[in-house]
Amino acid sequence: MEVGRVKRVAGPVVQAVGLKASMYDLVLVGEEGLMSEVIGISGDKHIIQVYEDTSGIKPGEPVKETGGPLVAQLGPGILTQIYDGVQRPLPLLAERSGDFISRGLFVDGVDHKKKWEFQPLVKKGDTVKPGQPIGVVQEQLLIKHKIMVPPKHKGGVVKEIYSGNFTVEETVCVLEDGSQLTMLQKWPVRQARPVVRKLPPTIPLRTGQRVIDGFFPLAKGGTAAIPGGFGTGKTVMQQTLSKWSDVDIVIYVGCGERGNEMADLLHEFPELVDPRTNRPLLERSIVYANTSNMPVAAREASIYTGMTTAEYYRDMGYDVLMTADSTSRWAEAMRELASRLEEMPGEEGYPAYLAARLADFYERAGRAEILAGGEGSVAVVGAVSPPGGDFTEPVTQNTLRIVKVFWALDSRLTQRRHFPSINWLDSYSLYEKDLESWYAENVAADWNQLKRRAMAILQENAELEEIVMLVGSDALPEDQQLTLEVARMIINFWLAQSAFHPVDTFCPYKKQYDLMKAILTYRDYAFDALHRGVAVDQIKSVPSKDALAKLRMVEDYEPELKKVMDQMKAEFEALK
Amino acid sequence: MTKEYKTITEISGPLVFVEKTEPVGYGELVEIRTASGEVKRGQVLDTSDEIVVVQVFEGTGGLSKDSSVRFTGDVIKMPLSPSIIGRVLSGSGRPRDGGPPIVPEVEREIIGAAINPASREKPRAFIQTGISTIDGTNTLVRGQKLPIFSGAGLPHNDVALQIARQAKVVGEAEQFAVVFCAMGITNEEAQHFMADFERTGALERAVIFLNLADDPAVERLLTPKLGLTTAEYLAFDLDMHVLVIYTDMTNYCESLRQMGAAREEVPGRRGYPGYMYTDLATNYERAGIIKGKKGSITQFPILTMPGDDITHPIPDLSGYITEGQLIVSRELHRKGIYPPIDIRPSLSRLMNSGIGAGHTREDHRAVSDQLYAYYAEGCDLRGLAAIVGKEALSERDKLILEFADQFERRFVNQGRDEDRSIIETLTIGWELLSMLPETMLTRIDDKYIKKYHPKYAGTAKKE
Ligand SMILES: Nc1ncnc2c1ncn2[C@@H]1O[C@H](COP(=O)(O)OP(=O)(O)O)[C@@H](O)[C@H]1O
Ligand SMILES: [Mg+2]
């Protein structure tokens, strides 16, 4: 392999000469051998982004080739880990270099010394295909890690298969052609792992968030973007989704965001339990933390490293959720690096390939028939941080062209502390139609109708509010005043949901349905009473109405709800 | 010994281009000696076989092609020892108080390495500032970075000083040490800070870095880095709890823009460099707590929003990095309300981990949310009332309107030396909420209403 030399250093970008490396090959820069990647080749020069701080690097220092691209290490032990953007375990970095990250450290993404109990799934003489599990390791109490024939391996007939305790480097299976399989795979992070074919998204990904599950649902294997100015609730939403979504594996990528947020996550995940399994959330999670002050090239890579691990678990047949906070920081990393290459910038200084990169990334999501047979999925939720909260900027616009769900965060709602601040008129989900039959079968036959009624009320409310802004609410006809009141109930009692309330943070489907049904029942009683000639003020002040407000905070709400609804019925019957 | 070069080919604004050097490291500290013997310091921004680009911090005035350039082979470091406490230094770290140079016990690189996210301790110690709009509705915790976004002519400095005077962790005797970094502020403003530090004795626990309006603009790029390196030393070597106040971040960003322009970089939004987010983050992220260490760094950056525009890149990028923001409002200031903090766009992202049972009081979150909801609604209704007249409003709306007025007068408004305990703040909150019928308190659990609502005072058992 060639050894070149540094020609120029300007920030995280280095130019070198004397190399033969290909695009995206990993190279080691300088005496310390800093991990770096080739991002451009021009004439005899290689342009290299360095994943670490370049202070002190001088022209003339060596650049060594490694002969391949940046890969993720995949094998048992990656769950519960916290990595930087190039998959170095942060706790190990802390052991080596203390509380501040120093550079030039190499740490494997997977522990090469630890032994795992390998249980074979195939026997001597079996033919195995690419992607097929040959054995299994109990990685966590409830999560089995399938050991698969690597996707690019051609497979073959099993000559030897072992069982017992092995490290990830030891051979667990030998094929007739002599190839030896271990529990470790290495996969180039910028390349999608193959599947047989993509499947339509017809199963909802339950999040326990009323506004999402009810109005703008995500599907298993779906893609969603959550754009919003600072402080509108992107991070809290991503963390909430990571906690309560009904998926098997969660990949949380903190891309260019805050260190304290990561500390918060690492503090909470071991303590909170997955409502499906009652096991600590950490057991199903992998965290990538490349905070805003960590090297920008590693930030750029973190999205791909995260996606590669997500696909790997999908290939085992799991449903995976990957959240990326924030994809704008990733795009900015691209911009920062591109500008050092002196590339012709596109819109707002972003490189011309921004749209293509975004599309390639979201394209790796999906529900799929996997090589092993059966299915798995990777859903992606990307936060977008538009400058000035203005959604017309390039990252938001290019993202919206690709993703199927748009949760539009609205700072006017944030200022009222209405959370989640998802604007119910601007947001959309293109999965809604595909999921209706699932809801009708699994939640309630009339759930889809109820939601449509509620949305119609919210839309009418928006129109009425404009009139109110001109004339005041008392000038409206009585039926419209009632509509405003019902809309207010939907907004405050149902759409609003506190991520920090121990009960309200997660709302099961049944409760979502029951609470909405209760509000719309009030509406029916109310209009009925109005037609009987009861005064609006009386209708608005039935005490049971406000009792509905607090049911979302009650865990065992059903007996209470029944009481409130019986009371409501009686109260309305008593209204003359 | 390192060689001296007399091969400057070009001087352009703050940049000096040097030719025919031996290999020079990226980021190296450079010393340039003028004909009069003065030494200016700079840093390598771009290095190649042919040419080295140096950014000079202390201004290029007095430099010529004959000036001699020495590359030190080392990056910029801050000399540190316990005796730095109480000192006043320039924006590039030289003594400004007539005292001797700092005799270092250690020297630290000023471009701090990132704190390993896995080594961070979750911040959650409630800091009582005695200011209701902070403690009650935008609670600060130790290890947080909470900037003040303000506008020209508003009393942000008074707010920052009041915080510095009153900040304490209830139940702990130890006072905060202060690192104060001035970047491009006027001499008068600087004196205002210094006088207050002196009056309250804070100076004895402070390290001051002053880059004033007439000091070199590029030096400002160093000032927060020096201050934060010092803060890390105080916090993580000397176990102190440190408050870092730096003002004005807007001047810092202007210097960044100026540097970018000098280097003929492709500019990002409104002419600011595309890497401004990352650059700001390398300052702001140097706040926090490290597992197993006693000290902490809490940051209060102050910035004035150009044209009071919160979408301007400086406040915008800051808000994306910091853990919330306190907004000083011109409208409240005009109404004579002090501190004129508008809680609606303000936010403390770490509030949640510092409040509630065991920190402040169990009802804190609910009270805060409810106050926000009706204050915001009240502010919206003011617009409506201006159009249709108060009389046309419903009874409910009139109540909320009155609530918003009272909220500003009683909760937001307080004395410059008034140090309210968190319990006093919550009590005012409940008094305000009791203006509204109980059924309107939809965000508060009934059990808290029974326990803390003034109507039930004396009837329920208190803790
Ligand atoms: N669902 C929610 N429930 C309660 N509070 C929320 C919710 N979402 C956001 N918040 C509040 O808003 C603040 C900012 O949210 P965050 O997700 O950090 O914003 P962003 O990532 O968009 O900047 C949080 O600190 C919290 O106080
Ligand atoms: Mg965020």
Side-chain angles (χ1 to χ4, degrees):
Chain A
M1 241 147 315
E2 306 293 318
V3 178
R5 54 180 289 279
V6 172
K7 214 175 144 35
R8 177 178 172 196
V9 190
V13 172
V14 164
Q15 294 183 2
V17 288
L19 291 172
K20 291 230 171 75
S22 317
M23 271 299 269
Y24 300 123
D25 270 3
L26 197 68
V27 293
L28 305 174
V29 167
E31 306 290 352
E32 289 169 274
L34 305 183
M35 257 173 103
S36 317
E37 192 179 18
V38 175
I39 54 168
I41 301 173
S42 128
D44 60 344
K45 276 188 310 222
H46 276 68
I47 298 159
I48 294 165
Q49 65 179 17
V50 186
Y51 294 132
E52 304 191 72
D53 178 36
T54 51
S55 293
I57 305 281
K58 297 187 174 88
E61 288 195 42
V63 179
K64 296 194 196 84
E65 297 187 346
T66 65
L70 174 68
V71 294
Q73 297 196 0
L74 304 163
I78 50 184
L79 284 176
T80 76
Q81 266 300 356
I82 160 160
Y83 292 116
D84 75 353
V86 287
Q87 212 206 1
R88 298 185 302 176
L90 288 168
L92 290 184
L93 292 186
E95 260 172 43
R96 295 266 193 97
S97 76
D99 300 320
F100 294 84
I101 301 177
S102 55
R103 61 184 196 182
L105 297 172
F106 292 93
V107 190
D108 285 311
V110 174
D111 188 339
H112 286 216
K113 300 233 165 58
K114 182 171 168 146
K115 286 194 185 259
W116 295 90
E117 191 188 334
F118 174 83
Q119 298 164 339
L121 289 176
V122 293
K123 50 185 196 313
K124 203 173 154 170
D126 286 355
T127 304
V128 293
K129 310 177 296 169
Q132 182 177 339
I134 53 169
V136 63
V137 165
Q138 197 71 44
E139 187 176 7
Q140 292 295 329
L141 190 68
L142 295 180
I143 298 175
K144 287 189 160 57
H145 190 115
K146 311 235 171 87
I147 307 299
M148 300 166 286
V149 179
K152 283 190 178 159
H153 194 286
K154 58 187 184 317
V157 178
V158 177
K159 187 169 163 214
E160 305 275 2
I161 178 101
Y162 309 118
S163 83
N165 292 307
F166 299 95
T167 67
V168 295
E169 283 177 320
E170 287 168 334
T171 303
V172 291
C173 178
V174 184
L175 302 183
E176 289 291 357
D177 67 358
S179 52
Q180 305 188 341
L181 302 179
T182 67
M183 293 194 272
L184 183 67
Q185 289 192 24
K186 293 184 179 170
W187 188 265
V189 299
R190 292 180 193 276
Q191 226 177 74
R193 287 174 63 92
V195 294
V196 177
R197 65 191 170 100
K198 290 277 173 77
L199 300 170
T202 50
I203 306 164
L205 190 153
R206 188 205 60 207
T207 66
Q209 308 306 302
R210 288 184 291 269
V211 58
I212 292 179
D213 291 349
F215 286 144
F216 313 111
L218 180 60
K220 296 248 165 89
T223 50
I226 177 161
F230 62 81
T232 50
K234 299 178 294 296
T235 302
V236 171
M237 182 50 80
Q238 299 223 333
Q239 297 194 349
T240 308
L241 297 180
S242 309
K243 287 173 190 166
W244 312 132
S245 291
D246 67 333
V247 291
D248 305 302
I249 305 290
V250 170
I251 314 283
Y252 190 100
V253 183
C255 173
E257 294 279 318
R258 303 179 182 83
N260 278 335
E261 282 172 357
M262 302 316 300
D264 188 34
L265 198 81
L266 296 177
H267 184 262
E268 282 202 303
F269 271 29
E271 288 181 359
L272 294 173
V273 297
D274 179 352
R276 295 195 311 166
T277 58
N278 273 325
R279 296 295 307 166
L281 287 171
L282 190 66
E283 289 183 2
R284 64 168 198 179
S285 312
I286 303 169
V287 176
Y288 289 88
N290 210 97
T291 55
S292 53
N293 56 338
M294 287 162 73
V296 48
R299 185 204 298 171
E300 194 271 333
S302 66
I303 291 286
Y304 297 104
T305 325
M307 178 50 96
T308 305
T309 25
E311 289 173 334
Y312 178 63
Y313 280 91
R314 172 205 64 199
D315 292 346
M316 296 180 207
Y318 289 122
D319 289 320
V320 184
L321 170 68
M322 165 167 168
T323 60
D325 187 13
S326 158
T327 59
S328 294
R329 305 301 165 220
W330 169 51
E332 285 166 10
M334 282 187 237
R335 174 169 73 183
E336 205 169 318
L337 295 161
S339 76
R340 312 249 183 194
L341 297 182
E342 285 149 21
E343 280 177 7
M344 257 309 273
E347 219 182 331
E348 296 203 9
Y350 287 103
Y353 48 78
L354 172 72
R357 290 279 170 89
L358 283 167
D360 286 348
F361 165 64
Y362 282 105
E363 221 11 70
R364 289 174 73 171
R367 181 171 156 238
E369 185 183 327
I370 55 180
L371 297 182
E375 36 178 275
S377 68
V378 177
V380 176
V381 176
V384 185
S385 316
D390 175 4
F391 290 179
T392 60
E393 59 90 36
V395 182
T396 313
Q397 285 305 313
N398 283 309
T399 303
L400 290 184
R401 249 169 249 146
I402 309 158
V403 300
K404 301 288 190 295
V405 181
F406 171 42
W407 295 318
L409 295 175
D410 183 341
S411 59
R412 281 165 307 178
L413 294 173
T414 311
Q415 297 208 352
R416 271 183 246 157
R417 292 304 189 259
H418 173 99
F419 291 117
S421 309
I422 295 180
N423 182 305
W424 47 88
L425 298 176
D426 297 343
S427 302
Y428 59 79
S429 163
L430 300 181
Y431 299 122
E432 214 186 333
K433 277 272 161 303
D434 293 330
L435 301 177
E436 278 188 345
S437 60
W438 192 97
Y439 289 127
E441 265 164 53
N442 296 283
V443 183
D446 61 341
W447 185 211
N448 295 312
Q449 286 88 305
L450 284 188
K451 287 189 292 196
R452 278 197 287 274
R453 276 183 67 195
M455 186 45 87
I457 293 170
L458 290 171
Q459 258 148 6
E460 189 179 347
N461 176 65
E463 288 156 25
L464 293 178
E465 268 185 342
E466 281 177 24
I467 304 173
V468 168
M469 281 325 262
L470 298 173
V471 298
S473 58
D474 276 8
L476 289 184
E478 293 195 317
D479 58 334
Q480 294 187 345
Q481 287 187 38
L482 265 191
T483 300
L484 283 182
E485 185 66 16
V486 174
R488 178 146 54 210
M489 289 166 72
I490 297 174
I491 294 166
N492 293 335
F493 304 174
W494 198 85
L495 288 171
Q497 183 170 4
S498 170
F500 301 125
H501 191 282
V503 175
D504 201 27
T505 178
F506 172 75
C507 186
Y509 281 140
K510 172 87 169 44
K511 189 172 178 183
Q512 300 180 11
Y513 169 80
D514 285 343
L515 294 182
M516 181 63 89
K517 177 130 186 155
I519 296 169
L520 294 179
T521 305
Y522 168 85
R523 186 205 169 271
D524 293 341
Y525 287 152
F527 275 86
D528 192 45
L530 189 71
H531 294 142
R532 293 201 316 263
V534 181
V536 170
D537 281 343
Q538 264 186 303
I539 297 174
K540 281 205 228 167
S541 49
V542 297
S544 54
K545 186 197 88 186
D546 290 304
L548 278 184
K550 297 187 179 169
L551 285 175
R552 64 206 161 117
M553 297 186 249
V554 182
E555 173 102 68
D556 183 19
Y557 68 99
E558 276 163 295
E560 188 86 0
L561 176 65
K562 182 164 183 325
K563 244 177 42 204
V564 173
M565 294 316 286
D566 288 347
Q567 185 194 339
M568 189 182 289
K569 186 153 189 257
E571 282 166 0
F572 271 102
E573 276 165 5
L575 284 184
K576 291 274 149 24
Chain B
M1 242 342 263
T2 48
K3 270 215 247 167
E4 302 224 348
Y5 297 92
K6 289 209 166 194
T7 49
I8 294 180
T9 54
E10 189 185 337
I11 302 172
S12 157
L15 299 182
V16 169
F17 297 77
V18 192
E19 258 188 3
K20 296 197 204 91
T21 61
E22 317 251 282
V24 168
Y26 174 74
E28 246 180 58
L29 172 65
V30 184
E31 291 179 351
I32 307 180
R33 190 180 303 275
T34 65
S36 64
E38 193 192 346
V39 175
K40 307 231 181 196
R41 289 180 296 172
Q43 186 182 15
V44 174
L45 284 186
D46 195 331
T47 173
S48 64
D49 295 338
E50 296 84 31
I51 201 140
V52 176
V53 185
V54 179
Q55 112 179 325
V56 181
F57 293 116
E58 286 141 327
T60 43
L63 294 187
S64 70
K65 288 192 175 176
D66 302 330
S67 304
S68 71
V69 182
R70 194 172 76 86
F71 297 97
T72 62
D74 205 354
V75 294
I76 305 181
K77 290 186 172 158
M78 174 77 198
L80 293 161
S81 83
S83 69
I84 197 169
I85 299 169
R87 296 296 304 269
V88 181
L89 307 169
S90 76
S92 57
R94 305 188 191 216
R96 199 178 168 126
D97 52 6
I102 313 289
V103 180
E105 261 179 25
V106 290
E107 292 195 314
R108 293 273 157 82
E109 290 184 21
I110 67 160
I111 312 282
I115 299 180
N116 186 323
S119 297
R120 279 184 185 266
E121 184 70 73
K122 175 176 168 163
R124 52 188 150 171
F126 161 60
I127 297 181
Q128 182 176 296
T129 65
I131 296 174
S132 291
T133 39
I134 301 176
D135 298 351
T137 45
N138 289 289
T139 319
L140 171 71
V141 297
R142 208 153 57 188
Q144 183 168 5
K145 42 190 181 289
L146 189 62
I148 299 175
F149 289 4
S150 187
L154 296 177
H156 41 265
N157 292 344
D158 291 338
V159 177
L161 280 168
Q162 187 170 3
I163 293 168
R165 278 198 306 273
Q166 299 181 351
K168 58 179 148 309
V169 169
V170 180
E172 284 183 21
E174 193 194 326
Q175 284 181 299
F176 283 96
V178 174
V179 170
F180 177 72
C181 303
M183 293 167 284
I185 63 173
T186 61
N187 188 44
E188 195 187 321
E189 277 179 287
Q191 288 314 319
H192 183 57
F193 276 99
M194 297 298 291
D196 203 82
F197 290 148
E198 236 159 285
R199 177 170 71 84
T200 58
L203 204 51
E204 288 158 35
R205 309 182 307 273
V207 185
I208 314 275
F209 293 85
L210 295 179
N211 166 289
L212 301 184
D214 53 359
D215 291 327
V218 187
E219 184 184 87
R220 278 163 216 162
L221 296 177
L222 279 185
T223 312
K225 303 216 159 40
L226 296 168
L228 290 162
T229 306
T230 307
E232 281 167 1
Y233 172 72
L234 299 180
F236 305 129
D237 288 50
L238 304 185
D239 292 341
M240 301 170 88
H241 292 298
V242 187
L243 268 189
V244 183
I245 301 176
Y246 42 127
T247 181
D248 181 334
M249 265 330 249
T250 301
N251 296 333
Y252 173 87
C253 293
E254 292 308 337
S255 295
L256 265 187
R257 175 159 75 168
Q258 197 185 326
M259 277 308 308
R263 296 175 63 187
E264 295 173 3
E265 291 167 345
V266 180
R269 213 159 68 98
R270 298 207 209 171
Y272 293 91
Y275 50 79
M276 191 156 90
Y277 175 84
T278 306
D279 187 282
L280 285 171
T282 55
N283 295 311
Y284 294 144
E285 274 293 320
R286 294 170 84 173
I289 312 177
I290 291 176
K291 281 182 191 155
K293 301 240 161 136
K294 284 212 192 98
S296 63
I297 299 179
T298 308
Q299 288 190 19
F300 272 105
I302 300 173
L303 62 86
T304 47
M305 299 183 275
D308 287 354
D309 175 11
I310 196 169
T311 68
H312 184 281
I314 298 171
D316 190 51
L317 293 178
S318 295
Y320 270 121
I321 305 164
T322 55
E323 280 134 4
Q325 66 279 339
L326 298 171
I327 308 283
V328 180
S329 139
R330 201 167 293 281
E331 192 189 328
L332 287 174
H333 181 61
R334 282 205 194 105
K335 282 190 192 166
I337 287 172
Y338 174 89
I341 295 176
D342 185 352
I343 65 162
R344 289 170 302 160
S346 298
L347 167 70
S348 163
R349 295 166 187 269
L350 302 187
M351 171 166 183
N352 223 44
S353 48
I355 64 170
H359 298 277
T360 54
R361 208 169 71 184
E362 53 184 349
D363 57 327
H364 192 157
R365 161 62 57 196
V367 170
S368 168
D369 282 352
Q370 195 71 74
L371 289 169
Y372 255 106
Y374 286 123
Y375 177 59
E377 197 172 339
C379 293
D380 289 348
L381 285 167
R382 282 180 187 156
L384 179 59
I387 300 170
V388 300
K390 244 188 194 167
E391 316 71 50
L393 297 185
S394 67
E395 284 309 310
R396 179 181 183 278
D397 289 355
K398 278 185 210 151
L399 260 181
I400 295 174
L401 205 55
E402 178 59 20
F403 170 86
D405 289 342
Q406 289 298 327
F407 179 82
E408 285 173 3
R409 252 172 267 158
R410 294 171 55 196
F411 190 89
V412 182
N413 195 36
Q414 67 184 85
R416 279 178 156 75
D417 280 309
E418 188 180 346
D419 188 359
R420 291 181 187 159
S421 74
I422 179 63
I423 301 300
E424 285 170 313
T425 290
L426 290 174
T427 303
I428 299 172
W430 274 109
E431 281 166 15
L432 291 165
L433 291 174
S434 68
M435 293 168 60
L436 307 169
E438 210 182 300
T439 49
M440 277 177 68
L441 306 184
T442 52
R443 297 198 180 207
I444 309 183
D445 265 344
D446 286 334
K447 59 175 193 259
Y448 299 147
I449 295 185
K450 293 275 156 10
K451 201 159 160 188
Y452 299 107
H453 194 295
K455 186 168 122 195
Y456 299 101
T459 62
K461 267 207 314 251
K462 288 270 160 71
E463 275 172 320

